[in-house]
Amino acid sequence: MKRQVVMVSLAASTFLGSMLAGCETRKIEEEVRSIDWYQTNDAERAAKLIQCRSDPGKYDATPNCINASRAENNAKADTRWGTKSEDVRTEPKVP
């Protein structure tokens, strides 16, 4: 009986210790930037996209990576891919 009490106490102590140890390793998260912020700050957007692509498993689904990627898509959608003489991209006809 005494041995069982010691084993349960030891297991509970180990479990509690591991739970408390995990609390110390939580890192501070960065401030979440909006899509508009990334659209107006080209250098920061480029740096964030490099970080996101360097370790996709860690950063890819973070809010800042998503917002930077959407801002990049918006910035690319606003540019023309060719000149009129090249006839690479035509404007859609709106009825």
Side-chain angles (χ1 to χ4, degrees):
M1 179 73 174
K2 186 175 181 182
R3 183 175 179 180
Q4 289 177 342
V5 171
V6 170
M7 294 299 285
V8 169
S9 297
L10 182 60
S13 298
T14 303
F15 178 73
L16 183 61
S18 65
M19 293 297 288
L20 291 175
C23 294
E24 295 176 22
T25 59
R26 183 175 181 193
K27 68 178 188 177
I28 298 171
E29 295 182 23
E30 63 184 338
E31 179 182 353
V32 176
R33 306 284 186 179
S34 68
I35 296 171
D36 293 332
W37 187 89
Y38 279 114
Q39 280 183 268
T40 57
N41 297 286
D42 296 335
E44 288 83 359
R45 179 178 71 227
K48 178 53 71 177
L49 289 172
I50 289 170
Q51 179 190 26
C52 297
R53 291 176 184 143
S54 69
D55 191 359
K58 184 175 182 182
Y59 297 112
D60 198 36
T62 62
N64 279 328
C65 285
I66 293 169
N67 289 346
S69 178
R70 288 182 180 169
E72 181 76 5
N73 290 341
N74 291 347
K76 286 182 178 179
D78 291 340
T79 61
R80 292 181 176 265
W81 295 338
T83 63
K84 285 274 189 194
S85 62
E86 293 173 331
D87 200 25
V88 173
R89 181 175 181 178
T90 58
E91 296 295 323
K93 295 180 182 176
V94 179

